[in-house]
Amino acid sequence: MKAYLILEDGTVFTGVSIGSTEEVISEIVFNTSMTGYLEVLTDPSYAGQAVVMTYPLIGNYGICHEDMESAKPWPKGYIVRELSRIPSNFRSGDTIWHFLEQNNIPGICKIDTRALTKRLREKGTMNGMITTKEYADLSDPISRIKAYHVKGVVMETTGKETVSLPGNGKRVALLDLGAKGNIARSLQKRGCQVTVYPADTKAETILAAAPDGIMLSNGPGDPAENTTIIEEIRTLYESDVPIFAICLGHQLMALATGAATYKLKYGHRGGNHPVKDLETGRVYISSQNHGYAVDANTLNPSVAAPAFVNVNDGTNEGLTYIGKQIFTVQFHPEACPGPRDSEYLFDRFIKMMGGEQ
């Protein structure tokens, strides 16, 4: 069946429908990872978006359910060049086509994803529609496409109940802002007892449990819209509990302490982003997935100092908080998919809590 990707600038790509045939409008973003498409699909940070995979062949090793980063996939749409119909992997339990269909995610293949990615890089992230309907007049779909906004996605993706995960070491409170599963697993691997709290949990509830440390997770959407959560994170900042924050958590901590965030032209999404540690000068290859960044020019130098910078475009990639046991990073040290170069940051967090490095 034919399918169409209509961008808000009027560009139309014609391809083949995959997964669900439902018509969907979303923000269109691209990911440059060569592997890890299942982890990308199940990353809650993609809520409200359709993902373009720049690697041309997707689905060749099928669906390995134990590699999922959350219980379900989150993108509103999926866009690829070639979709493998017959996976080759002894761990595979399903095809990606059936996985998309089961989860009611529409997609499109057989389009020029290189041309699409170049357009998104040149013009910036755009909204778009995936549809199997051929529109003779684009005025109606384009008006609906332009009116779309990603909003309310943190509360859509967060867990609904507090969950305790076993461990014999330090007790960590993980604020689930749309967390990938490997954040909790990375802490558990270091012996931590992890308590996962929904995003709307009050700071006083977390602090009343007297955790040894607090983890602020990744998550989707515009950080600045989460005003209530930002207020609670301010209270956490004012405590003396060690805090480590990743991605959205990094942005929210910056907002809670008076800095500003802004939307990047087309974001950072992939497993090959170099970040420089400003203390050591060492460069790490990182996994990233974000469309917003902290404006380093708005930092109060008595509150926070830049700790990492993106080697490609100079954007902020991490902060150290003055006089506090708090550090935050924009990239993903837990990776999945991606390089594990920066996993040591979890060890730094354990040491900050008084544990062994």
Side-chain angles (χ1 to χ4, degrees):
M1 181 185 296
K2 272 189 177 182
Y4 306 92
L5 171 64
I6 305 170
L7 298 181
E8 65 178 79
D9 69 349
T11 304
V12 179
F13 291 86
T14 303
V16 174
S17 172
I18 57 175
S20 166
T21 56
E22 180 181 335
E23 182 173 275
V24 68
I25 296 173
S26 59
E27 188 176 68
I28 312 295
V29 299
F30 63 87
N31 186 298
T32 58
S33 298
M34 296 176 68
T35 61
Y37 53 79
L38 180 60
E39 292 92 331
V40 169
L41 277 168
T42 53
D43 181 348
S45 295
Y46 284 111
Q49 299 174 326
V51 185
V52 183
M53 300 301 293
T54 63
Y55 190 70
L57 178 62
I58 298 297
N60 54 311
Y61 55 85
I63 296 294
C64 308
H65 293 97
E66 57 268 39
D67 295 341
M68 293 173 64
E69 281 298 303
S70 62
K72 56 170 280 190
W74 289 102
K76 295 188 72 174
Y78 202 54
I79 303 163
V80 301
R81 178 68 183 96
E82 295 287 343
L83 192 79
S84 175
R85 298 290 297 270
I86 306 174
S88 177
N89 182 355
F90 72 97
R91 296 174 65 238
S92 176
D94 201 354
T95 65
I96 193 168
W97 186 309
H98 185 243
F99 185 71
L100 294 173
E101 200 171 46
Q102 270 190 322
N103 289 281
N104 200 34
I105 298 174
I108 183 170
C109 69
K110 302 290 186 182
I111 71 167
D112 188 342
T113 51
R114 179 179 173 85
L116 172 57
T117 302
K118 287 177 70 176
R119 182 164 291 273
L120 294 175
R121 284 177 61 93
E122 290 165 4
K123 293 197 169 186
T125 297
M126 286 186 274
N127 292 340
M129 173 191 285
I130 297 173
T131 181
T132 56
K133 179 179 178 180
E134 186 171 5
Y135 286 91
D137 180 4
L138 293 179
S139 57
D140 171 61
I142 287 179
S143 66
R144 289 189 282 132
I145 291 168
K146 288 182 176 180
Y148 176 80
H149 296 284
V150 178
K151 55 187 178 182
V153 281
V154 168
M155 293 312 301
E156 179 186 342
T157 57
T158 187
K160 308 311 176 193
E161 298 179 349
T162 300
V163 178
S164 294
L165 305 174
N168 299 315
K170 295 297 179 180
R171 292 176 300 109
V172 177
L174 170 57
L175 188 62
D176 176 9
L177 304 165
K180 290 168 62 183
N182 205 39
I183 293 178
R185 291 194 298 269
S186 295
L187 292 167
Q188 284 186 287
K189 188 167 72 174
R190 291 161 174 82
C192 295
Q193 175 188 324
V194 182
T195 303
V196 185
Y197 292 93
D200 58 354
T201 304
K202 295 291 184 183
E204 62 184 31
T205 301
I206 295 173
L207 296 173
D212 296 307
I214 298 169
M215 184 94 215
L216 307 181
S217 82
N218 66 295
D222 181 351
E225 78 167 11
N226 300 287
T227 53
T228 303
I229 297 172
I230 291 167
E231 290 175 10
E232 299 303 323
I233 289 177
R234 176 69 195 191
T235 302
L236 297 178
Y237 165 82
E238 290 170 351
S239 76
D240 292 324
V241 181
I243 298 175
F244 177 25
I246 291 172
C247 199
L248 180 64
H250 154 78
Q251 297 164 3
L252 295 180
M253 179 60 77
L255 289 166
T257 52
T261 55
Y262 64 99
K263 190 169 186 177
L264 296 167
K265 184 177 180 181
Y266 48 81
H268 299 156
R269 298 176 182 88
N272 58 348
H273 292 265
V275 296
K276 183 177 182 179
D277 185 328
L278 296 177
E279 183 179 351
T280 66
R282 184 172 179 176
V283 174
Y284 299 90
I285 302 301
S286 70
S287 173
Q288 302 201 11
N289 175 16
H290 61 103
Y292 293 81
V294 173
D295 185 350
N297 295 320
T298 65
L299 294 171
N300 182 337
S302 66
V303 172
F308 289 89
V309 66
N310 189 293
V311 176
N312 288 335
D313 61 13
T315 54
N316 178 261
E317 292 283 357
L319 298 170
T320 298
Y321 284 79
I322 311 301
K324 293 283 186 178
Q325 295 189 91
I326 300 174
F327 71 99
T328 69
V329 293
Q330 181 63 77
F331 51 95
H332 287 269
E334 86 290 351
C336 287
R340 303 291 180 87
D341 298 33
S342 54
E343 263 192 329
Y344 75 93
L345 293 171
F346 285 98
D347 298 321
R348 180 189 291 182
F349 182 45
I350 302 298
K351 187 177 181 181
M352 185 184 289
M353 291 187 288
E356 294 184 6
Q357 188 172 12

